[in-house]
Amino acid sequence: MNRLGEKSLVTLEYPAILERLAANAASVKAKETALALRPMTDREDAQLAMQQTTDAKNVMIRNGSPSLGGIREILPSLARADRGGVLNFRELLEIASVLQTARLSQGYVAGEEEKNTLTPLFQRLSGNRALEERITSSILSEEEMADGASPELLHIRREKRRISGKVRETLGRLVSGERAKYLQEALITQRGGRFVVPVKAEHRGEISGLVHDVSSSGATVFVEPAQVVEINNQIKVLEGRESAEIERILSEISADVAACRLSIETDYEALCTLDFIFAKAKLSFDLNADAPKLVPEGYHTNLLRARHPLLDRKTAVPIDIAIGGEYDTLVITGPNTGGKTVSLKTLGLLSLMAASGLHISASELSEVCIFENVYADIGDEQSIEQSLSTFSSHMKTIVSIMDCCAPGDLVLFDELGAGTDPVEGAALAVSIIGYARQMGARVAATTHYSELKTFALTADGVENASCEFDVKTLRPTFRLLTGIPGKSNAFAIAARLGLQPVVLERAKEQLSSESTRFEDVIAELERERRDLERYKAEAERLRAAAQSERDKAGDLRDQTEDEADRIVEAARSKADRILKDARMTAETVFSELDEMKRVANADANDKNLAAARAALRGVITQTENELRKSKEKRTVAPEEARPLRPGDEVQLINVSNITATVLNAPDKDGNVQVQAGIMKMTVKENELRPVRKPEKPKPKTFRAGSGGVRELRLATTPSEIDVRGLCAEEAILEVDQFISGAILSGHPSVRIIHGKGTGVLRAAIQNHLKRNKRCKTVRNGVFGEGEMGVTVVEFRD
């Protein structure tokens, strides 16, 4: 990025965003990466970075924040170990901390089945539990090594403690015996690592031994009695052996670190990258931000409900601002302190953030393009040192921008042409905008000049916008209205503040007739806009009411048809039973008649019986035909019909409770192929009614400071967790993540199953949870809940 681009980043307050980003990172390297972040010019790179931020945010919603606080700067230590150097206690503990963080991070996503852009980074983590435990079990702190680091060290320290006890015992007899009167105090201390007693200076000759120190007053000498000199010598020898053994252990562990250098470096690099990505996700939560859509081609940006990310989101008024598409230049007008400059900075800063892979404080429906460069001339840059006026300083920056701007750039001008003669300034502003457009750049500029308003109304590809001002309250509303030039409110404000009418009349007389007509046109446009907004709101209300009534009518119709289907089905079943009984009766009669015929053996009777049988069967057949005719097919009313598309869910209105999926669009005869379960069938289009899907319940939301609403999609968390078999440290990590998810899911209480065992795991979990301010009560389970094997946690409201 060139020098002008870097200057524009500062002008648009981009470094302030990076500082907030760095504050959310845990490691030094991630903080440095955050502060060095710059907008990307390749859309695919920006899209990947944006998706990583989104995936990290989604994972945090499900699992809570990852534990990345253990990342330390270990690369110099690894390099020194690789060269054969011996690492000290602190360096080895830092390496163990990184290995532990890698291991815990693997567990953080252990339950994630769906892969995302973070999966490759987590898969790079290998950890090294053996080396981690070797370090942590051998080194207790930055100044102390554990006795059990080696059998030899344990033996040396036991012997050292034994001999030290012998010295203390010998000196104890001295300080409590007859010679105690020669001592300044009855105590045993050390000087230069050797045990001594404090002897009064005047009685120095009464206790034979070596003098190791004298008090500052000279009244006390610290003497090593002769009877413990040899014992102290033995202690010094043991201390030498101890130091040599510690050095040997450190050398051995350092060699193990050197052997695993590549895997440890890989873990460190992956953790720092994850730390940076999760810092972006945390910033998204802080700003109540969302991921915009990065448009694949062209230079079109459309920000919806956008807020400047550095303003208080509780008071900032969201705006809609767009550039590109139908117009490549936006001229923003309006009163001072009305929000023109903030609108300009919001457009520039959010464009930079999106190109950096950061979520932006705007609706997720916003569209942002990746500009090649963003140049800005905003603010008062008067320079006393260089003897430059405000106009000269701005013009110097504008000249630099004109030299650099090219297709794909976004250029932002604040108060273009101000600080000089209005006529010349307006002409210069129009010319500058025209040149930037000619070079292929997108331009947004704020101004007070009416000439620029006229330019925006008459030039193709240039659009007006204005910051709304409420004359009644003399306050800006901070709303940005695209398509309407801003009206000068100087006279209205002056009148409201009590300026004499005669003065106002004389001022109006000074305006040219063209200026007056232009202001009148703007005022008329503003009135029409307000009327249109009112009519639109009323039309929307009526539409919603009509849709509600239509839905109610449709529900009532469906209920009526279902009831009718039920009644008809019941009648049909009853008729079928009657027909069945009649047919069975008829067949019985026929059988009896056949038997009578066989017995009677008369031809005349045969003809009568056949006639009777035919007549009876005819009656039954006629009844069946009439029943079939009663099953008339229903069709969908023309006003309810709409074109059917493959994939639509429809109801077969002549078949009860059957819903099918449309496979093909209707043919020329109106036949539609549908599938219900495993069965495919062809049905007339007018016998299918599209299924009205019930409205999905609204997701849980939280209100943005600007008045907007942001969705917070939460995965359902179970109300209990089983941590049996885990060590205390792992269990606490799992419980913390579980607690965060349970609170977000709205559970009033949860159960943690840890088993009875020795009680160590239960005590560790309960002690940890009692320090959690979100937990109201932490208790053992009662009979029926698991008793001592379960901990029940209730949350605060």
Side-chain angles (χ1 to χ4, degrees):
M1 181 173 290
N2 57 35
R3 183 171 175 271
L4 181 59
E6 289 289 346
K7 180 182 177 182
S8 297
L9 294 183
V10 175
T11 301
L12 292 171
E13 301 176 275
Y14 181 76
I17 296 295
L18 298 187
E19 289 177 2
R20 293 188 62 172
L21 174 62
N24 284 298
S27 64
V28 173
K29 183 173 181 179
K31 291 180 183 292
E32 293 173 349
T33 303
L35 294 175
L37 180 63
R38 290 295 180 270
M40 290 164 265
T41 56
D42 185 89
R43 178 186 171 275
E44 292 184 0
D45 293 341
Q47 184 64 58
L48 174 60
M50 183 74 72
Q51 189 60 48
Q52 288 176 334
T53 306
T54 301
D55 291 340
K57 190 174 181 180
N58 292 336
V59 172
M60 287 180 66
I61 291 175
R62 294 191 296 270
N63 302 339
S65 297
S67 299
L68 299 174
I71 305 175
R72 300 289 183 268
E73 295 303 299
I74 61 172
L75 294 184
S77 301
L78 293 176
R80 194 155 63 83
D82 191 53
R83 293 194 300 267
V86 177
L87 305 183
N88 57 36
F89 291 176
R90 179 185 58 80
E91 291 173 317
L92 290 174
L93 287 176
E94 288 177 346
I95 290 173
S97 178
V98 170
L99 292 174
Q100 181 188 46
T101 304
R103 175 172 55 83
L104 296 179
S105 296
Q106 288 177 306
Y108 175 73
V109 292
E112 294 285 330
E113 297 181 358
E114 184 178 352
K115 301 196 180 297
N116 53 48
T117 57
L118 303 184
T119 302
L121 291 171
F122 280 105
Q123 288 177 341
R124 287 172 56 188
L125 299 175
S126 59
N128 191 328
R129 189 153 192 170
L131 180 57
E132 173 195 338
E133 292 180 349
R134 173 80 167 100
I135 296 173
T136 54
S137 62
S138 300
I139 303 174
L140 302 179
S141 69
E142 293 186 5
E143 299 176 351
E144 183 181 5
M145 179 170 282
D147 293 350
S150 74
E152 177 63 18
L153 183 61
L154 178 61
H155 172 73
I156 291 171
R157 288 185 172 174
R158 283 179 176 174
E159 185 65 16
K160 183 180 173 182
R161 283 192 289 269
R162 184 185 67 79
I163 296 177
S164 296
K166 185 177 179 181
V167 172
R168 290 182 180 276
E169 181 181 350
T170 302
L171 294 179
R173 289 195 298 268
L174 176 65
V175 299
S176 61
E178 295 180 356
R179 297 188 179 184
K181 59 186 177 180
Y182 304 129
L183 303 179
Q184 196 70 258
E185 294 181 77
L187 61 81
I188 302 171
T189 184
Q190 285 187 325
R191 287 294 185 274
R194 302 180 75 88
F195 288 98
V196 296
V197 292
V199 180
K200 297 176 182 178
E202 61 269 24
H203 299 296
R204 161 68 189 86
E206 301 298 330
I207 297 179
S208 61
L210 302 175
V211 176
H212 286 276
D213 197 6
V214 180
S215 66
S216 58
S217 64
T220 304
V221 293
F222 295 91
V223 178
E224 178 185 5
Q227 54 267 44
V228 298
V229 170
E230 183 56 32
I231 302 176
N232 273 334
N233 290 339
Q234 295 178 23
I235 292 176
K236 295 299 287 184
V237 171
L238 290 173
E239 287 177 349
R241 290 175 56 192
E242 179 185 25
S243 298
E245 180 62 15
I246 290 175
E247 187 71 13
R248 187 195 67 79
I249 295 171
L250 292 177
S251 178
E252 184 179 280
I253 299 177
S254 298
D256 293 340
V257 168
C260 303
R261 175 190 176 183
L262 292 179
S263 64
I264 298 174
E265 283 185 352
T266 300
D267 283 351
Y268 170 77
E269 296 291 345
L271 287 172
C272 288
T273 303
L274 287 169
D275 186 18
F276 170 67
I277 293 172
F278 278 101
K280 294 195 295 180
K282 292 174 185 177
L283 179 64
S284 177
F285 281 116
D286 292 344
L287 300 178
N288 191 20
D290 277 309
K293 177 184 177 182
L294 299 183
V295 293
E297 57 186 18
Y299 294 97
H300 168 69
T301 290
N302 184 21
L303 299 176
L304 304 175
R305 298 193 61 77
R307 293 175 291 101
H308 193 287
L310 298 179
L311 294 179
D312 185 354
R313 68 187 189 189
K314 295 181 180 179
T315 57
V317 177
I319 63 171
D320 294 345
I321 184 169
I323 194 167
E326 297 180 358
Y327 53 90
D328 56 34
T329 300
L330 188 66
V331 176
I332 305 174
T333 52
N336 289 327
T337 70
K340 301 191 302 298
T341 302
V342 172
S343 299
L344 210 61
K345 283 189 173 183
T346 300
L347 172 61
L349 183 54
L350 296 192
S351 297
L352 293 173
M353 290 175 63
S356 302
L358 301 175
H359 286 181
I360 63 174
S361 50
S363 167
E364 61 183 4
L365 300 178
S366 299
E367 296 179 335
V368 181
C369 68
I370 303 300
F371 293 106
E372 296 293 332
N373 295 286
V374 176
Y375 299 125
D377 174 46
I378 299 175
D380 186 359
E381 299 185 2
Q382 184 173 5
S383 174
I384 298 176
E385 181 180 346
Q386 299 180 14
S387 299
L388 295 176
S389 67
T390 300
F391 176 77
S392 300
S393 180
H394 277 290
M395 192 52 58
K396 184 177 180 181
T397 302
I398 291 171
V399 169
S400 299
I401 293 175
M402 294 297 98
D403 288 339
C404 297
C405 68
D409 292 345
L410 173 64
V411 180
L412 307 173
F413 296 119
D414 187 31
E415 299 296 347
L416 182 59
T420 187
D421 177 76
V423 176
E424 294 182 354
L428 194 58
V430 171
S431 180
I432 290 171
I433 291 176
Y435 180 80
R437 295 183 65 204
Q438 181 181 347
M439 298 304 295
R442 302 293 186 264
V443 181
T446 67
T447 183
H448 284 287
Y449 294 143
S450 297
E451 289 83 353
L452 263 70
K453 302 175 189 178
T454 305
F455 172 67
L457 288 172
T458 57
D460 292 335
V462 184
E463 185 63 88
N464 267 306
S466 60
C467 291
E468 190 179 49
F469 188 85
D470 191 337
V471 180
K472 294 181 179 179
T473 61
L474 297 182
R475 292 180 180 273
T477 65
F478 300 107
R479 293 177 59 201
L480 185 68
L481 308 175
T482 302
I484 299 176
K487 180 180 181 296
S488 173
N489 294 288
F491 290 165
I493 295 172
R496 291 279 297 174
L497 294 176
L499 186 64
Q500 289 80 356
V502 63
V503 177
L504 289 173
E505 289 299 325
R506 290 178 180 175
K508 291 179 181 178
E509 292 174 0
Q510 301 301 316
L511 290 177
S512 65
S513 59
E514 291 184 2
S515 298
T516 304
R517 286 197 301 271
F518 185 76
E519 292 294 331
D520 290 341
V521 169
I522 293 177
E524 182 63 25
L525 286 173
E526 178 65 14
R527 284 193 295 272
E528 291 182 359
R529 181 190 66 80
R530 293 182 182 275
D531 290 341
L532 286 174
E533 285 188 350
R534 185 170 65 255
Y535 295 149
K536 181 180 178 182
E538 180 64 16
E540 182 63 25
R541 186 187 66 79
L542 293 175
R543 188 201 64 78
Q547 183 63 39
S548 177
E549 293 299 325
R550 182 175 180 179
D551 292 343
K552 290 180 181 178
D555 293 340
L556 181 60
R557 180 202 61 207
D558 292 343
Q559 293 175 5
T560 303
E561 290 183 354
D562 291 343
E563 181 65 18
D565 288 342
R566 187 187 64 78
I567 294 172
V568 169
E569 188 65 29
R572 185 181 295 123
S573 299
K574 184 175 181 180
D576 286 343
R577 287 197 301 272
I578 292 173
L579 282 173
K580 184 178 179 181
D581 292 343
R583 188 174 293 279
M584 291 179 63
T585 302
E587 292 300 330
T588 301
V589 171
F590 292 155
S591 298
E592 292 178 353
L593 290 175
D594 287 340
E595 181 65 20
M596 291 172 61
K597 183 193 74 171
R598 188 181 61 79
V599 173
N601 196 17
D603 293 338
N605 288 338
D606 288 346
K607 295 180 180 179
N608 293 334
L609 289 173
R613 181 183 301 164
L616 183 57
R617 284 178 174 162
V619 171
I620 294 173
T621 301
Q622 183 180 359
T623 303
E624 288 179 341
N625 291 335
E626 290 177 355
L627 181 60
R628 291 192 187 97
K629 292 179 181 179
S630 67
K631 301 178 182 178
E632 295 181 359
K633 292 185 177 180
R634 298 200 308 271
T635 60
V636 177
E639 63 272 12
E640 298 179 12
R642 68 166 177 80
L644 297 177
R645 295 182 295 271
D648 286 351
E649 290 190 10
V650 294
Q651 180 183 8
L652 281 66
I653 61 176
N654 290 302
V655 184
S656 261
N657 300 322
I658 295 296
T659 300
T661 302
V662 175
L663 298 180
N664 297 316
D667 59 19
K668 63 181 180 179
D669 297 325
N671 296 319
V672 183
Q673 188 177 22
V674 299
Q675 180 168 0
I678 62 173
M679 182 173 62
K680 294 182 180 179
M681 64 188 79
T682 300
V683 188
K684 287 292 184 182
E685 182 181 11
N686 61 0
E687 296 178 19
L688 300 174
R689 177 181 294 124
V691 175
R692 291 189 296 117
K693 298 183 179 179
E695 293 186 3
K696 297 182 180 179
K698 293 183 178 179
K700 295 184 179 180
T701 62
F702 59 90
R703 186 159 295 278
S706 63
V709 175
R710 293 287 181 268
E711 296 185 1
L712 181 61
R713 301 173 177 83
L714 303 177
T716 303
T717 302
S719 59
E720 68 177 28
I721 184 174
D722 190 341
V723 295
R724 289 176 292 184
L726 301 180
C727 68
E729 178 183 312
E730 294 174 333
I732 288 173
L733 178 65
E734 295 290 335
V735 167
D736 278 345
Q737 296 178 0
F738 168 69
I739 291 293
S740 298
I743 291 174
L744 289 174
S745 296
H747 292 308
S749 63
V750 294
R751 295 170 68 244
I752 301 170
I753 305 171
H754 43 62
K756 297 179 180 178
T758 61
V760 173
L761 184 58
R762 178 181 69 250
I765 292 173
Q766 292 185 357
N767 290 336
H768 177 72
L769 291 177
K770 287 176 181 178
R771 296 192 295 269
N772 191 327
K773 296 181 179 180
R774 297 176 294 181
C775 300
K776 181 179 180 181
T777 60
V778 180
R779 62 175 176 83
N780 293 324
V782 298
F783 181 76
E785 290 182 329
E787 302 180 9
M788 300 297 286
V790 169
T791 292
V792 179
V793 182
E794 294 183 1
F795 301 124
R796 300 183 186 277
D797 296 332

